Amino acid sequence: RGSGTLSVIVRPYGDGLRLVLSQDVTERERAEAMRRDFVANVSHEIRTPLTVLSGFIETMSSLPLSEPERRRVLTLMGQQTERMLSLVSDLLTLAQLEGSPRPGSDRWIGLGPLFLRLGTDAKALSNGRHQLKIGEVGALELAGVETELISAISNLLSNAVRYTPEGGEIELNWRLAADGHGEISVTDTGPGIAREHLPRLTERFYRVDGSRNRETGGTGLGLSIVKHVMQRHGGELQVQSEVGQGSRFTLLLPPTRVRQAAP
Ligand code: ADP
């Protein structure tokens, strides 16, 4: 089971030989360490909002609060609850993405309506703080699981909105490459990401600046979800980023999953 290697080792034993079956221990240990880390991270991420909530409950039950104070505490409690809900929802998405794809769930999806919908969601999230540009999509279609592709693109857009300071530009675009593969990109003029962080961005709970990014409402699972969606579609996620200039996240889809719709 798993990706470990099973080796047969022949060793002298008494007057004869003994066959020893040995699984690649390092691989197994690494998988086990990753599982332990994951459980520890999830526990920590859930315990933090719960601790805050429990503090607020204590305050509300032991102190007489004015109406504005009571409202303020309820707002803060609501934010912590939202944070836990997003976390649980991202965990469920990841668990589903790690299972086998449901047979027959792929279909051809028009990029036009998809971009329209994602653009509207991003506008609502940005709330006028950024300049949003959505590329012309023409009649391009993608083959895949619609909910998964939406989740991948909207994770990239919500990151761009969250990390790009007010007044910045965010662009959702696509390109059909000469060799027939499709590219969907989200470009921002945000803070950018230093080179040493790039290889680790899709690790679960990896954040460039842990505490600051947690405050922006991210679960730390977004790019891990994007990577899984791309793997299931035979594609990949590419990141180009320059500190102080901005970032571009590109989803690459194989030619078999991209076509121009009949006019
Ligand atoms: P999070 O929920 O923390 O955003 P992600 O997996 O989506 O988690 O992203 C991982 C980290 O990558 C983020 O915490 C952030 O540090 C960095 N990141 C992602 N997108 C951007 C972006 N558009 N600009 C700058 N940093 C980004």
Side-chain angles (χ1 to χ4, degrees):
R1 233 173 73 84
S3 53
T5 322
L6 198 63
S7 329
V8 181
I9 302 166
V10 184
R11 290 215 175 107
Y13 184 70
D15 290 337
L17 294 170
R18 181 167 68 162
L19 295 182
V20 184
L21 290 178
S22 135
Q23 203 179 4
D24 185 337
V25 179
T26 48
E27 185 65 29
R28 233 183 29 211
E29 278 174 356
R30 207 171 50 209
E32 182 55 28
M34 273 175 71
R35 195 194 60 80
R36 270 199 310 270
D37 270 6
F38 180 63
V39 172
N41 276 325
V42 171
S43 313
H44 175 74
E45 295 289 332
I46 291 181
R47 195 177 53 188
T48 311
L50 275 178
T51 309
V52 178
L53 274 174
S54 121
F56 284 140
I57 292 170
E58 173 105 24
T59 310
M60 287 193 91
S61 45
S62 57
L63 292 177
L65 296 180
S66 66
E67 185 52 21
E69 282 169 340
R70 196 183 71 88
R71 259 195 242 147
R72 166 117 185 92
V73 169
L74 281 175
T75 306
L76 293 170
M77 287 173 86
Q79 283 168 0
Q80 297 300 325
T81 312
E82 283 298 320
R83 184 170 152 185
M84 274 192 296
L85 283 173
S86 318
L87 177 67
V88 172
S89 149
D90 277 358
L91 284 169
L92 281 172
T93 304
L94 262 183
Q96 274 161 6
L97 288 170
E98 276 169 354
S100 317
R102 239 182 298 144
S105 43
D106 274 15
R107 62 183 195 84
W108 285 101
I109 307 151
L111 207 54
L114 203 69
F115 268 32
L116 202 67
R117 174 171 163 191
L118 289 161
T120 309
D121 290 352
K123 269 198 187 98
L125 201 61
S126 156
N127 201 14
R129 286 178 294 123
H130 309 96
Q131 202 184 321
L132 281 169
K133 291 193 204 154
I134 313 287
E136 281 289 326
V137 281
L140 202 74
E141 293 185 327
L142 302 179
V145 183
E146 188 166 14
T147 47
E148 293 184 6
L149 291 172
I150 287 179
S151 151
I153 306 170
S154 77
N155 263 303
L156 298 183
L157 281 168
S158 62
N159 277 351
V161 169
R162 277 189 292 117
Y163 297 116
T164 306
E166 189 156 354
E169 268 176 37
I170 296 168
E171 188 173 337
L172 170 63
N173 223 326
W174 70 278
R175 191 174 84 90
L176 186 59
D179 69 358
H181 81 260
E183 292 182 11
I184 296 176
S185 60
V186 175
T187 311
D188 65 52
T189 57
I193 303 161
R195 189 180 290 267
E196 69 263 26
H197 295 292
L198 297 180
R200 300 196 58 191
L201 286 186
T202 58
E203 284 176 24
R204 296 158 176 190
F205 297 115
Y206 187 81
R207 295 170 169 110
V208 172
D209 176 348
S211 54
R212 183 171 62 86
N213 290 355
R214 206 171 273 118
E215 293 316 308
T216 63
T219 60
L221 297 173
L223 292 177
S224 175
I225 290 176
V226 179
K227 185 180 100 177
H228 274 85
V229 171
M230 282 300 102
Q231 276 172 352
R232 277 159 78 102
H233 286 79
E236 66 178 90
L237 167 68
Q238 274 184 357
V239 191
Q240 292 156 281
S241 194
E242 194 82 45
V243 172
Q245 303 287 313
S247 311
R248 172 174 295 155
F249 288 80
T250 309
L251 307 179
L252 282 95
L253 284 155
T256 46
R257 292 189 175 270
V258 187
R259 73 175 184 200
Q260 295 273 9

